[in-house]
Amino acid sequence: MLDKEGIAKRIAKEVKDGYYVNLGIGIPTLVANFVRDDIEVEFQSENGILGMGPFPFEGEEDADLINAGKQTITALPGASFFDSAMSFGMIRGQHVDLTILGAMEVAENGDIANWKIPGKMVKGMGGAMDLVASAENIIVAMMHTNKAGDSKLLKKCSLPLTGVACVTKIVTNLAVIEVTKDGFKLLERAPGVSVEEIQKATEGKLLVEGDIPEMQI
């Protein structure tokens, strides 16, 4: 089973040379720490930075340099800063190759709910709706179940939707799963996790074809 860093490490393997990548709040922000050194990747944050680096070491934080989640970050050489209009022009213009988001629920058809729990205070939609409406390659980083042990990979989302039929892949603490027209397709299982455990933790339709390899982190 993976922890949050393990999920981020596995997603980092999906990042290719030359990609422009947007990282959502939560687990996705960790991905920048684990991208291979031999490739060039530009991380974008919708509050207006292109060329975001890994998190700073303790004592080296710059309070004026933050990501969309208000976490302190670093800027790589050549990074650029701009206003929200320019930032969302990049997003809506489909200039971002990969979007990595957290989620509270994902449905078997690729619907995602990640911005609001009814009755609880929410700061706002943020850039999530623009990202899921514009991106063609969306990977979700999430825990497979909630704190009560209920599945977060569902037949149909129960929370307010952020986007419809937009998620392409999900990486959880238990598995790597592709979203297909026929439902969730199991690609890899986390170390020490059986296919049966993943099936039990998945409410939505889960396709299992052949022997499922263990993740290589």
Side-chain angles (χ1 to χ4, degrees), residues 18-38:
Y19 265 17
Y20 289 85
V21 181
N22 180 282
L23 300 177
I25 296 168
I27 298 173
T29 60
L30 300 172
V31 173
N33 295 336
F34 302 113
V35 172
R36 286 176 15 221
D37 293 332
D38 62 337

Side-chain angles (χ1 to χ4, degrees), residues 25-26 66-71 104 114-128:
I25 296 168
I66 61 172
N67 61 19
K70 301 181 179 64
Q71 297 168 302
M104 292 176 279
N114 79 340
W115 77 281
K116 183 177 182 180
I117 298 176
K120 293 194 175 183
M121 188 184 76
V122 61
K123 295 179 181 178
M125 171 63 73

